[in-house]
Amino acid sequence: MTQKASKLVIVTEKVLLKKIAKIIDEAGATGYTVVDAGGKGSRNVRSSGQPSVSDNFSNIKLEILTRNRDIAVKISDLVAAQFFDDYSGIAYICEAEVLHAHKF
Amino acid sequence: MTQKASKLVIVTEKVLLKKIAKIIDEAGATGYTVVDAGGKGSRNVRSSGQPSVSDNFSNIKLEILTRNRDIAVKISDLVAAQFFDDYSGIAYICEAEVLHAHKF
Amino acid sequence: MTQKASKLVIVTEKVLLKKIAKIIDEAGATGYTVVDAGGKGSRNVRSSGQPSVSDNFSNIKLEILTRNRDIAVKISDLVAAQFFDDYSGIAYICEAEVLHAHKF
Amino acid sequence: MDFLSDFFMRFGAQLQSPTLGFLIGGMIVAALSSRLAIPDAIYKFIVFMLLLKVGLKGGIAIRESNLAEMLLPAAFAMLMGILVVFIARYTLAKLPKIKVVDAIATGGLFGAVSGSTLAAGITVLEGQNIAYEPWAGALYPFMDIPALVTAIVLASIYTSKQRDTTDEAFSKQEYLSKKGGTLVKYGGQQDITASGYPSEQGSNTDERVKIWPIIKESLQGSALSALLLGLALGLLTRPEPVVDTFYEPLFKGLLSILMLIMGMEATARLGELRKVAQWYALYALVAPLLHGFIAFGLGMIAHYATGFTPGGVILLAVIAASSSDISGPPTLRGGIPSANPSAYIGASTAIGTPVAIAIGIPLFIGLAQVLMSS
Amino acid sequence: MDFLSDFFMRFGAQLQSPTLGFLIGGMIVAALSSRLAIPDAIYKFIVFMLLLKVGLKGGIAIRESNLAEMLLPAAFAMLMGILVVFIARYTLAKLPKIKVVDAIATGGLFGAVSGSTLAAGITVLEGQNIAYEPWAGALYPFMDIPALVTAIVLASIYTSKQRDTTDEAFSKQEYLSKKGGTLVKYGGQQDITASGYPSEQGSNTDERVKIWPIIKESLQGSALSALLLGLALGLLTRPEPVVDTFYEPLFKGLLSILMLIMGMEATARLGELRKVAQWYALYALVAPLLHGFIAFGLGMIAHYATGFTPGGVILLAVIAASSSDISGPPTLRGGIPSANPSAYIGASTAIGTPVAIAIGIPLFIGLAQVLMSS
Amino acid sequence: MDFLSDFFMRFGAQLQSPTLGFLIGGMIVAALSSRLAIPDAIYKFIVFMLLLKVGLKGGIAIRESNLAEMLLPAAFAMLMGILVVFIARYTLAKLPKIKVVDAIATGGLFGAVSGSTLAAGITVLEGQNIAYEPWAGALYPFMDIPALVTAIVLASIYTSKQRDTTDEAFSKQEYLSKKGGTLVKYGGQQDITASGYPSEQGSNTDERVKIWPIIKESLQGSALSALLLGLALGLLTRPEPVVDTFYEPLFKGLLSILMLIMGMEATARLGELRKVAQWYALYALVAPLLHGFIAFGLGMIAHYATGFTPGGVILLAVIAASSSDISGPPTLRGGIPSANPSAYIGASTAIGTPVAIAIGIPLFIGLAQVLMSS
Ligand SMILES: Nc1ncnc2c1ncn2[C@@H]1O[C@H](COP(=O)(O)O)[C@@H](O)[C@H]1O
Ligand SMILES: Nc1ncnc2c1ncn2[C@@H]1O[C@H](COP(=O)(O)O)[C@@H](O)[C@H]1O
Ligand SMILES: Nc1ncnc2c1ncn2[C@@H]1O[C@H](COP(=O)(O)O)[C@@H](O)[C@H]1O
Ligand code: NA
Ligand code: NA
Ligand code: NA
């Protein structure tokens, strides 16, 4: 009894966590998972003024499972439109099947 | 020379790590990878009594690659049956192809 | 307007981060994301001499999105050939669709 | 009248102590949603340092003291630990909209001991030059473990009874629903479930609650481990040089930071507490003082019976008033998984601990000075 | 001649202070690409400890001091904070290849205050037994907040003007490109974009810059929160025992470690600075001293007008010379998102802070001794 | 007889030191599978503090001492570092079931120096008021680097010889297996491999071992960096105020926590050690004492030749007895990748370090008191 789902992954700057979480909530996703991440991209500035000597990981990686691909794309579009002009970030989508969830 | 595999992902409370690791082992999976995670779901309680002021990340995300989809589903079912009544958690499956591994 | 991509995932020992980052760059990938990880595999030695009492997470998980599956496989092959005789590690590939990126 | 005015004067003086100041400061800082954060590593280290020091001092003291003196206070501590859980079981659990397991778990947490509250009590006593038995800190496990064990045992008994009742009802329902194909299916969309096989797990297992694993689990927790390690080191080695030059001088300062963290934590958990029945807030307000008073009474018995010092009586009351914030929650999460952590952690951290520190400590000191200063 | 030789002798003596030694040591260690790293948790904790202590001392001092004395220095601090941003706006921003928003953000960061530089200034003063108003540390927010607010407001005004101009140009272009189907499409390969809908976001919003949220954002930052918390605790409670036995004795030592981190950080950020126009390096070299001199002059006015001590004058100059390294960057990243953080963080951390500490502090002390030692 | 009884009495007295107590306490705590954990950030910070302080004291001392005095001890330290590796090469490596590279790497780790053991030695000496050259800590790199370099060079020579031999054998096998399509294919299921192209990497490269990169790698490690930074700061600046009020008073206390961690770590690594040949356990038990005795003998030569103090002789023996636990392992992991880290880390951390601290330090002190107390 599984449920096809789209998994949206957003890697971006840590300072944006709260704002993106709000977008995710408002788009109607049932939840998200976030991990601290480091990385390298086109801008290898990691911003935020954290001392890189002592902490290199100031990206975050957000994963959002949605029943509906459109919601995932919508979240991605909103985040990109609002932040990716000024902040580092990448967004991609994978396919997944949810096996067990409290609410999905 | 690649090998199709199922990747089971379980996001749940950190306190369960040891117990789930045991289930994974017993189910015959060859290994797992675990990262510290935060997140929001249906219960946005993160339990475990850790001071949230100082540490918001008390979820873990486990990834288990299995050659055989059935093993992945079995692990997921066991974990969900044993813990998801009382603990936060979500389990989903993705497809992957293993390129290199010591034992798989 | 999305772009099919291959996502290569490498889980291996933290000491190798710099060397693998170099391989990724040279192979022509546009970036990578890295998170601290723990895990269990065929060798459950986690190397690096870090006190496991105080820190169990001395693996890293690298994710590299490439437009072209061949680049991903090439990176994987180079990393495996150079390090997997002596170091713990696993490499696998998933499919993804990039929605937004600064350079991809 | 004289008694009361004397008491209130002393009580008022306590309110200016830095310990309390940092606690309240932390609450306010968090309430103003400041981004100030003490790293988790520092928090854990401070707790370790404080409990290790309490243990070391206790161990050194026990070397030179008559252990028989400890007997009565230790027995009273155990009694308190157990009593507190039963109080919750027969008051909080009876209130409307309160789940019994949640109430039992809350009782367990309030019966258990908070290292930070204990350290605060010691610091305030020392600031006021009130003598206490240096081994008083060693009463911690005597109250902590019985409380957690009692809570987990009570909850297990309760849930297994419940399950027997449900199982009967359920077997019928199952029969009916089996025709429908899937056991759990709500609405058209909801075709996946969290646990998949509800209640199947516990079906045919005979689960007698094992007490020793719970005790072991408690002893292995980081807080009790640090305290007991300190006790052992104090008892068996000669750590005086390092205690006098390192653990002792840093104690007060580290405590001030811990108070700050506890204050911030209290505000942060308030939100969680709001999601559960308001009775928890009331319980968390009243219980610390009630428990403290009972323990104070028991301590006075020991005072007259075996010469337990007023300082010792105060500390016994303080640990009874305290509710566990570090070691207790994970033990309960594992031991009573069906209890809602928002209920007990919220009640303890957001209200119980601030009340025990800000009201309890000055109250018991004032009381002791009035009643035993003769 | 006598003046100069006297000055250089005193300046030279400063160079041997451990504060400076640790800073330079850190720069060298990082330059040799050592793997030495101070954990992030320790770094954050040290900053917290230092600012809390500056606040506590300030708060205790304010209790006993005539607040009217603070008025003039506080007004000068505010003036400096605003002035520094305008200086950047009309010098740095006019240089070739410099983006205006980047220049404004850099000005904001240099107008804001660095806790580590302030702590270094205090330590050096105390090492030399130079008296200063203990509330001088409390000038921090009076300079810090106006600088950040001014920068964010200036940048907003600038960008919204720019946008109006672009919008007109753009609407034509849009008309043309619409025929092509996709708005943004460069080359055959490049069919995905970062933001997707460029400039759509700000199109029909009337964005008047709100000042209060910026001030709140500043006050809620970890650095200012720690300082203000300390101030409040010093003012309202009696934290002397814990300050004297814990915060005070650890100050100098923790600062030495922070200096090491700042040094390592400076080297690490040098690479980032290299990626932006070299004018930033020049600005970062000159600005701290220029700002310090202006503030020194203002301080001397206060010295003659209201008896502001030479030590106080030095500290005013030091905080003016300092550029924010902890609290400022995230505030600016949020407030002026279009500014390139490499420009301002690189300029401040890699050059500004080392210059302020290594040259600024000894310079202003020497100057004060020569000008006000009478 | 008198000699022996005297020695055993002194040896026994050492066993009560807090240093040892915390070490053994840590071992027991972990053995009881307590969840007590010192955060990694604290562990790293403590190691940094201890080594920086050893360096600072050394640097300050070198300022005032006759460097010529250091020559002989430094030469002996280098000699020991190299010797230890060769001892392992011609004893451990010859034992049955022992891989040669594993044995060489183990020798390298035991030749290298442990900062925690050195700090423990210093603390015990100071606790007993035994004088030592303050620059003795600066002997660390003179033993550490040669040991690691020797091990890596020996291992490289060995593996390249091996490869030549294998290559010949292999080229034939390859010829045969090529017909089968895949080079590596075991059984039906096993169609993917870890490395894919075994041995292809090193095929036609002429790899002469470069020594300078190994030395650089060592010097850049966090432990040596901290020590050398301290040395430089002690030598070139005037850090006495901050050393006397901060680094010195915290030393003993921080060490006690580090001992606890090392003890916990020892227990944790025991499991790893069990997976490798038991000869490693025997080696780890005997080698520290053997190395210590040889170094003690060399130290006595320096004692009679140039007046090296008994305390200095003890420290030389202690660092020889010590085996690296922080900086060595990653250097060896990179330098001898084919060696099994379970073998060398297990041997060093689980047995070598406890033996060096718990038996070595008291042993060498007792010995020095008996032999040089005249
Ligand atoms: N090709 C890629 N594969 C994986 N992660 C990437 C890739 N490109 C960028 N990222 C991640 O996205 C972040 C921001 O990218 P950018 O905006 O290009 O600087 C980087 O720091 C990486 O963590
Ligand atoms: N839709 C979702 N997408 C990604 N992660 C989720 C989602 N729902 C829940 N999670 C994760 O699973 C954890 C537990 O979920 P829950 O049991 O619903 O509270 C959350 O804390 C999240 O980390
Ligand atoms: N089947 C698996 N599923 C997920 N992660 C794995 C698996 N096998 C190995 N790993 C990860 O790869 C690392 C190295 O594996 P190994 O080289 O087999 O020791 C482990 O520490 C795990 O983090
Ligand atoms: Na209690
Ligand atoms: Na400034
Ligand atoms: Na050695």
Side-chain angles (χ1 to χ4, degrees):
Chain A
M1 202 94 345
T2 68
Q3 167 66 42
K4 292 258 173 261
S6 293
K7 180 171 96 166
L8 169 66
V9 181
I10 302 176
V11 181
T12 188
E13 301 185 22
K14 207 173 192 167
V15 277
L16 301 178
L17 176 54
K18 273 196 188 167
K19 290 175 187 162
I20 296 180
K22 214 175 141 227
I23 294 176
I24 294 171
D25 273 0
E26 288 170 1
T30 55
Y32 61 86
T33 296
V34 55
V35 301
D36 274 321
K40 191 166 173 284
S42 61
R43 337 184 162 191
N44 57 357
V45 179
R46 214 62 36 68
S47 88
S48 89
Q50 279 198 350
S52 68
V53 167
S54 23
D55 188 359
N56 307 311
F57 292 81
S58 60
N59 274 350
I60 46 166
K61 187 174 102 172
L62 284 148
E63 294 177 335
I64 307 108
L65 290 162
T66 58
R67 218 171 242 270
N68 187 314
R69 192 186 149 99
D70 292 349
I71 295 184
V73 172
K74 186 177 140 203
I75 293 171
S76 170
D77 284 351
L78 285 170
V79 168
Q82 223 165 309
F83 302 115
F84 285 9
D85 274 335
D86 293 327
Y87 295 89
S88 299
I90 195 168
Y92 60 90
I93 224 167
C94 300
E95 273 166 33
E97 263 172 88
V98 175
L99 303 177
H100 294 278
H102 284 103
K103 196 184 146 204
F104 187 73
Chain B
M1 203 91 347
T2 67
Q3 166 67 40
K4 292 258 175 262
S6 293
K7 180 170 96 166
L8 169 67
V9 181
I10 301 175
V11 181
T12 188
E13 302 184 21
K14 208 175 194 166
V15 277
L16 300 179
L17 176 53
K18 273 195 188 167
K19 290 176 188 161
I20 296 181
K22 215 177 140 225
I23 294 177
I24 294 170
D25 274 359
E26 288 171 0
T30 55
Y32 60 85
T33 296
V34 55
V35 302
D36 274 322
K40 192 166 172 286
S42 61
R43 335 184 162 192
N44 58 357
V45 179
R46 213 63 38 66
S47 87
S48 89
Q50 279 198 350
S52 68
V53 168
S54 23
D55 186 359
N56 306 311
F57 292 80
S58 61
N59 274 351
I60 47 167
K61 188 175 101 173
L62 284 147
E63 294 176 336
I64 306 108
L65 290 162
T66 58
R67 217 172 244 269
N68 186 312
R69 192 187 148 98
D70 294 348
I71 295 183
V73 172
K74 186 179 140 201
I75 294 171
S76 171
D77 284 351
L78 285 170
V79 168
Q82 221 165 312
F83 303 114
F84 285 8
D85 274 334
D86 293 326
Y87 295 90
S88 297
I90 194 169
Y92 59 91
I93 224 166
C94 299
E95 272 166 33
E97 262 172 88
V98 175
L99 302 177
H100 294 277
H102 284 103
K103 197 185 144 203
F104 187 72
Chain C
M1 203 93 343
T2 68
Q3 165 67 42
K4 290 258 175 262
S6 293
K7 180 171 95 166
L8 170 66
V9 181
I10 301 176
V11 181
T12 189
E13 302 185 20
K14 208 173 194 170
V15 278
L16 301 178
L17 176 54
K18 274 196 187 168
K19 290 176 188 163
I20 296 181
K22 217 177 138 224
I23 293 177
I24 294 171
D25 274 359
E26 288 171 1
T30 54
Y32 61 86
T33 296
V34 55
V35 302
D36 275 321
K40 190 163 173 289
S42 60
R43 331 185 166 195
N44 60 356
V45 180
R46 214 62 38 65
S47 87
S48 90
Q50 278 197 352
S52 67
V53 168
S54 23
D55 186 359
N56 307 309
F57 292 80
S58 62
N59 274 350
I60 47 167
K61 187 175 102 172
L62 285 148
E63 295 177 334
I64 307 109
L65 290 161
T66 58
R67 218 171 242 271
N68 186 315
R69 191 187 150 97
D70 293 349
I71 296 183
V73 172
K74 186 178 139 201
I75 293 171
S76 170
D77 284 351
L78 284 170
V79 167
Q82 223 164 308
F83 302 115
F84 284 8
D85 274 336
D86 293 327
Y87 295 89
S88 298
I90 194 168
Y92 60 89
I93 224 166
C94 299
E95 272 167 35
E97 263 173 88
V98 175
L99 303 176
H100 294 277
H102 285 104
K103 198 185 143 204
F104 187 73
Chain D
M1 271 307 284
D2 206 38
F3 170 95
L4 270 184
S5 75
D6 192 20
F7 170 77
F8 277 112
M9 212 196 64
R10 289 171 192 277
F11 180 77
Q14 308 293 341
L15 289 173
Q16 293 188 297
S17 85
T19 305
L20 197 52
F22 278 88
L23 181 77
I24 294 171
M27 295 173 77
I28 294 172
V29 158
L32 300 173
S33 48
S34 156
R35 289 188 304 279
L36 179 66
I38 313 293
D40 192 51
I42 301 296
Y43 165 74
K44 290 203 178 111
F45 181 61
I46 290 177
V47 170
F48 162 78
M49 288 282 290
L50 297 184
L51 285 170
L52 190 69
K53 186 260 181 183
V54 169
L56 284 165
K57 292 288 256 186
I60 294 174
I62 288 175
R63 269 202 322 245
E64 284 138 26
S65 58
N66 179 358
L67 266 190
E69 278 177 21
M70 245 189 100
L71 242 103
L72 198 60
F76 284 153
M78 289 185 67
L79 180 63
M80 276 310 301
I82 296 169
L83 188 64
V84 165
V85 184
F86 277 94
I87 293 177
R89 177 70 186 84
Y90 291 104
T91 60
L92 183 59
K94 302 289 183 195
L95 293 170
K97 285 196 260 174
I98 300 283
K99 269 175 59 193
V100 173
V101 282
D102 292 359
I104 295 174
T106 308
L109 214 56
F110 277 75
V113 175
S114 154
S116 53
T117 308
L118 169 61
I122 289 175
T123 302
V124 175
L125 283 189
E126 286 179 353
Q128 317 247 328
N129 294 315
I130 301 175
Y132 62 93
E133 282 76 8
W135 48 256
L139 295 175
Y140 183 143
F142 289 96
M143 193 182 294
D144 196 67
I145 295 176
L148 296 171
V149 169
T150 309
I152 294 173
V153 171
L154 275 194
S156 295
I157 293 171
Y158 177 78
T159 29
S160 57
K161 267 191 203 151
Q162 286 299 100
R163 205 180 294 127
D164 292 349
T165 338
T166 337
D167 276 2
E168 287 166 32
F170 193 74
S171 48
K172 283 179 207 152
Q173 189 206 324
E174 195 176 10
Y175 174 79
L176 294 169
S177 63
K178 256 189 184 147
K179 296 174 189 168
T182 339
L183 199 57
V184 179
K185 188 161 191 172
Y186 327 86
Q189 279 266 317
Q190 188 71 22
D191 42 10
I192 58 164
T193 65
S195 58
Y197 315 103
S199 88
E200 206 184 16
Q201 50 178 133
S203 54
N204 44 13
T205 50
D206 111 295
E207 301 187 30
R208 296 201 66 247
V209 197
K210 296 193 200 72
I211 290 180
W212 174 236
I214 309 173
I215 297 178
K216 225 177 74 183
E217 166 87 13
S218 290
L219 292 171
Q220 288 172 340
S222 56
L224 264 184
S225 289
L227 185 92
L228 294 175
L229 174 68
L231 267 179
L233 288 172
L235 201 60
L236 303 174
T237 71
R238 301 254 167 274
E240 282 86 345
V242 75
V243 171
D244 295 345
T245 62
F246 185 72
Y247 292 97
E248 180 78 57
L250 291 177
F251 192 75
K252 218 186 322 182
L254 292 177
L255 179 74
S256 71
I257 299 171
L258 185 59
M259 287 296 105
L260 198 65
I261 299 176
M262 299 314 300
M264 291 161 72
E265 200 50 29
T267 304
R269 294 285 177 181
L270 217 52
E272 249 176 70
L273 190 57
R274 278 207 203 93
K275 286 185 205 138
V276 297
Q278 302 209 335
W279 293 115
Y280 286 102
L282 183 68
Y283 173 83
L285 204 67
V286 173
L289 304 181
L290 175 68
H291 302 157
F293 279 128
I294 300 176
F296 196 96
L298 293 173
M300 294 235 338
I301 296 178
H303 174 61
Y304 292 116
T306 63
F308 196 37
T309 60
V313 176
I314 295 168
L315 284 185
L316 184 68
V318 167
I319 60 175
S322 81
S323 54
S324 179
D325 29 44
I326 299 153
S327 51
T331 303
L332 288 173
R333 190 79 184 103
I336 317 182
S338 56
N340 179 1
S342 289
Y344 55 83
I345 297 176
S348 166
T349 309
I351 301 189
T353 295
V355 166
I357 295 172
I359 306 184
I361 295 175
L363 193 68
F364 304 132
I365 292 181
L367 212 60
Q369 287 173 330
V370 169
L371 294 180
M372 289 180 282
S373 65
S374 55
Chain E
M1 273 303 287
D2 207 35
F3 170 94
L4 269 186
S5 75
D6 193 20
F7 170 79
F8 277 112
M9 211 197 63
R10 288 171 192 277
F11 180 77
Q14 308 292 342
L15 289 174
Q16 293 188 299
S17 85
T19 305
L20 198 52
F22 279 88
L23 181 76
I24 295 172
M27 296 173 78
I28 294 173
V29 159
L32 299 173
S33 46
S34 156
R35 289 188 303 278
L36 180 66
I38 312 293
D40 193 49
I42 301 296
Y43 164 75
K44 291 203 178 111
F45 181 62
I46 290 177
V47 171
F48 161 78
M49 288 283 288
L50 297 183
L51 286 169
L52 188 70
K53 186 261 180 180
V54 169
L56 283 165
K57 292 288 255 185
I60 293 173
I62 289 174
R63 267 196 334 236
E64 284 137 27
S65 58
N66 178 0
L67 265 191
E69 277 176 22
M70 244 190 100
L71 243 101
L72 199 59
F76 285 154
M78 289 185 67
L79 180 63
M80 275 311 300
I82 297 168
L83 189 63
V84 165
V85 183
F86 279 95
I87 293 177
R89 177 70 186 85
Y90 290 105
T91 60
L92 183 60
K94 301 291 183 195
L95 293 170
K97 286 196 260 174
I98 300 282
K99 272 176 58 192
V100 172
V101 282
D102 292 357
I104 295 174
T106 308
L109 214 57
F110 276 76
V113 175
S114 154
S116 54
T117 308
L118 168 61
I122 288 175
T123 301
V124 175
L125 284 189
E126 287 180 352
Q128 318 248 325
N129 295 314
I130 301 174
Y132 62 93
E133 282 77 8
W135 48 255
L139 295 174
Y140 182 144
F142 290 96
M143 192 182 294
D144 195 67
I145 296 175
L148 295 172
V149 170
T150 309
I152 294 173
V153 171
L154 274 195
S156 295
I157 293 171
Y158 176 79
T159 29
S160 59
K161 267 191 202 152
Q162 286 298 101
R163 204 181 293 127
D164 293 349
T165 338
T166 338
D167 275 2
E168 288 167 31
F170 193 74
S171 50
K172 283 180 208 152
Q173 191 207 322
E174 195 177 11
Y175 174 79
L176 294 169
S177 63
K178 256 188 183 147
K179 295 174 190 169
T182 341
L183 201 57
V184 179
K185 188 162 192 172
Y186 328 86
Q189 280 267 317
Q190 189 71 24
D191 42 10
I192 59 164
T193 66
S195 58
Y197 315 102
S199 89
E200 204 183 17
Q201 52 178 132
S203 53
N204 46 13
T205 51
D206 109 297
E207 302 187 29
R208 298 203 62 247
V209 196
K210 296 191 199 73
I211 289 179
W212 174 236
I214 309 174
I215 297 179
K216 224 178 72 182
E217 165 88 12
S218 290
L219 291 171
Q220 288 171 340
S222 56
L224 263 183
S225 288
L227 187 92
L228 295 175
L229 174 68
L231 268 178
L233 287 173
L235 202 59
L236 304 174
T237 71
R238 301 255 167 273
E240 283 86 344
V242 75
V243 172
D244 295 345
T245 62
F246 184 73
Y247 293 98
E248 180 80 56
L250 290 178
F251 191 74
K252 218 187 319 181
L254 292 177
L255 179 74
S256 72
I257 299 171
L258 185 59
M259 286 296 105
L260 197 66
I261 299 176
M262 300 312 300
M264 290 161 70
E265 202 49 30
T267 304
R269 294 285 177 182
L270 216 53
E272 250 176 70
L273 190 56
R274 278 207 202 93
K275 287 186 203 139
V276 298
Q278 303 211 332
W279 292 116
Y280 286 102
L282 184 69
Y283 173 83
L285 205 67
V286 174
L289 303 181
L290 175 68
H291 302 157
F293 279 128
I294 301 176
F296 195 97
L298 293 172
M300 295 239 335
I301 298 178
H303 174 62
Y304 291 115
T306 64
F308 196 37
T309 58
V313 177
I314 294 169
L315 284 185
L316 185 67
V318 166
I319 61 175
S322 82
S323 54
S324 179
D325 29 44
I326 298 154
S327 50
T331 304
L332 288 173
R333 189 79 183 102
I336 317 181
S338 57
N340 179 1
S342 289
Y344 55 82
I345 296 176
S348 166
T349 309
I351 301 189
T353 295
V355 166
I357 295 172
I359 307 183
I361 295 176
L363 194 67
F364 305 132
I365 292 181
L367 212 62
Q369 286 174 328
V370 169
L371 294 180
M372 288 181 283
S373 65
S374 54
Chain F
M1 273 305 287
D2 207 36
F3 171 94
L4 270 184
S5 75
D6 193 19
F7 169 78
F8 276 112
M9 212 194 65
R10 288 170 192 277
F11 180 78
Q14 308 292 340
L15 289 174
Q16 294 189 297
S17 85
T19 306
L20 197 52
F22 279 88
L23 181 76
I24 295 171
M27 295 173 77
I28 293 172
V29 159
L32 299 174
S33 47
S34 155
R35 289 189 302 279
L36 180 66
I38 312 293
D40 194 50
I42 301 296
Y43 164 75
K44 290 201 177 112
F45 181 60
I46 290 177
V47 170
F48 162 77
M49 288 282 289
L50 296 184
L51 286 169
L52 189 70
K53 185 262 181 181
V54 170
L56 284 164
K57 292 289 256 185
I60 293 173
I62 290 174
R63 270 199 328 243
E64 285 138 26
S65 58
N66 178 359
L67 265 191
E69 276 176 23
M70 244 189 101
L71 242 101
L72 199 59
F76 284 153
M78 291 185 66
L79 180 63
M80 275 310 301
I82 297 169
L83 189 63
V84 165
V85 185
F86 277 95
I87 291 177
R89 178 71 186 85
Y90 291 106
T91 59
L92 183 59
K94 301 291 183 195
L95 291 170
K97 287 197 259 172
I98 300 283
K99 270 176 58 192
V100 173
V101 282
D102 292 357
I104 295 173
T106 308
L109 213 58
F110 277 75
V113 175
S114 153
S116 54
T117 308
L118 169 61
I122 289 175
T123 302
V124 175
L125 283 189
E126 287 179 353
Q128 318 248 325
N129 294 314
I130 301 174
Y132 63 92
E133 283 76 9
W135 48 255
L139 296 174
Y140 182 145
F142 289 97
M143 192 182 295
D144 196 67
I145 296 176
L148 295 171
V149 170
T150 309
I152 294 173
V153 171
L154 274 193
S156 295
I157 293 172
Y158 176 78
T159 29
S160 59
K161 265 191 201 150
Q162 285 300 99
R163 204 181 293 127
D164 293 349
T165 337
T166 337
D167 275 3
E168 287 167 33
F170 193 75
S171 49
K172 282 179 210 154
Q173 189 208 323
E174 193 175 11
Y175 174 79
L176 294 169
S177 64
K178 255 187 184 149
K179 296 174 188 166
T182 340
L183 201 55
V184 180
K185 189 163 190 171
Y186 329 86
Q189 278 267 317
Q190 187 73 22
D191 43 8
I192 58 165
T193 65
S195 58
Y197 315 103
S199 88
E200 205 183 19
Q201 53 179 130
S203 54
N204 46 12
T205 50
D206 111 296
E207 300 187 32
R208 296 204 63 248
V209 196
K210 296 193 200 71
I211 289 178
W212 174 236
I214 308 174
I215 296 178
K216 226 177 73 183
E217 166 86 12
S218 290
L219 291 171
Q220 289 171 341
S222 57
L224 264 183
S225 290
L227 186 92
L228 295 175
L229 173 69
L231 268 178
L233 288 171
L235 201 60
L236 304 173
T237 71
R238 302 253 166 274
E240 282 86 345
V242 77
V243 172
D244 295 344
T245 63
F246 185 72
Y247 293 97
E248 180 79 55
L250 291 178
F251 191 74
K252 216 185 324 182
L254 293 177
L255 179 74
S256 71
I257 299 171
L258 185 59
M259 286 296 104
L260 198 65
I261 299 176
M262 299 313 301
M264 290 161 72
E265 200 50 31
T267 303
R269 293 287 176 181
L270 215 54
E272 250 177 71
L273 190 57
R274 278 206 202 95
K275 288 186 203 136
V276 298
Q278 302 210 333
W279 293 117
Y280 285 103
L282 183 69
Y283 174 83
L285 203 68
V286 174
L289 304 181
L290 175 68
H291 303 156
F293 279 128
I294 302 177
F296 195 97
L298 294 172
M300 294 236 339
I301 297 179
H303 175 62
Y304 292 116
T306 64
F308 195 39
T309 59
V313 176
I314 295 168
L315 284 185
L316 185 67
V318 166
I319 61 175
S322 82
S323 53
S324 179
D325 29 45
I326 299 152
S327 51
T331 304
L332 288 173
R333 191 79 185 100
I336 316 182
S338 55
N340 178 1
S342 288
Y344 55 81
I345 296 176
S348 167
T349 308
I351 301 189
T353 295
V355 166
I357 294 172
I359 306 182
I361 295 176
L363 193 67
F364 305 133
I365 292 182
L367 213 60
Q369 286 173 328
V370 170
L371 294 180
M372 289 181 283
S373 65
S374 54

